[in-house]
Amino acid sequence: MMGLVMFARYGEDSPLDKGFVKSNDQMVLYFVMDVFKDLPGLAGLFVACLFSGALSTISSAFNSLATVTMEDLIKPHFPNMTEAKATLLSKGLALVYGLVCLAMAYVASIMGSVLQAAFSIFGMVGGPLLGLFCLGLFFPWANSTGALVGLVAGLAMAFWIGIGSFLLRMSEANAMGALNTTNLPLFDNMTTAIMTTLVSANTAKPRPTGVEALYSLSYMWYSAHNSTVVVVVGLLVSLLTGTHYII
């Protein structure tokens, strides 16, 4: 909805093309500042509401993660833990998860746009979980061994493709930076145009092959690919280790 409203206001004359913003992630804030520039305080109120909504969601997620970790992973092994120690440990776990979130935010900032980073991370983590649920829902002859091995295989494949794609983009960006810093001799306009055409033709990006073709998979397909890996590997392992039917 906000994208349609911004397109209705700016059309093809995008602030990104004009250089007013440096990335797509800054478009919403620029749009708000542009609309509310004659109304003091409303732009700041919008930003405050934006951060407030984000902080409320993140804080509930931290508390949920800390509680699940305490109840399912720590308390079964330490049943005699006092409430004071459990409360202190829960706060420590929330702090640790917060630091992990900050690290992930830094990683997301160098992965491209926020939307791409969010879809990539969700596809890498949520895709195998989707495959695990589909394996249990639609294939009753799958056993626990197949589900576990399929989940591990899906996670391994997800992080392999995700990290490999990130490293490939970083290497390509560094190569482009090195190419842009090369100083070419300047001639007249005709010679410069011919040389530009030749350089563009010679530096055309070849079609990826082998492992690079796997790394070039769109982040929009991460969930489908990883969930399929979980289902296929889970079914194969279930057939090899002995299936059981749920009646």
Side-chain angles (χ1 to χ4, degrees), residues 16-91:
L16 184 63
D17 297 334
K18 287 185 173 181
F20 295 154
V21 294
K22 297 181 180 180
S23 66
N24 291 326
D25 299 328
Q26 299 174 346
M27 283 290 295
V28 174
L29 294 179
Y30 177 83
F31 172 70
V32 172
M33 295 293 294
D34 187 21
V35 172
F36 294 148
K37 59 185 177 182
D38 297 328
L39 301 173
L42 286 183
L45 182 62
F46 175 85
V47 175
C49 293
L50 188 67
F51 277 98
S52 177
L55 289 175
S56 64
T57 304
I58 294 175
S59 62
S60 61
F62 289 162
N63 292 330
S64 300
L65 287 170
T67 302
V68 170
T69 304
M70 280 293 301
E71 295 295 331
D72 294 342
L73 300 179
I74 297 178
K75 277 192 175 181
H77 300 285
F78 300 95
N80 298 323
M81 181 181 298
T82 62
E83 288 296 329
K85 290 183 178 180
T87 302
L88 183 62
L89 186 57
S90 297
K91 294 180 180 180

Side-chain angles (χ1 to χ4, degrees), residues 103-160:
M104 293 297 294
Y106 173 75
V107 173
S109 66
I110 59 178
M111 288 180 64
S113 65
V114 172
L115 184 63
Q116 178 178 349
F119 273 106
S120 300
I121 295 173
F122 178 77
M124 293 165 60
V125 179
L129 294 179
L130 174 63
L132 183 64
F133 276 90
C134 292
L135 184 66
L137 287 172
F138 302 110
F139 303 96
W141 56 87
N143 56 26
S144 59
T145 304
L148 181 60
V149 175
L151 178 62
V152 173
L155 287 172
M157 179 65 72
F159 282 95
W160 177 32

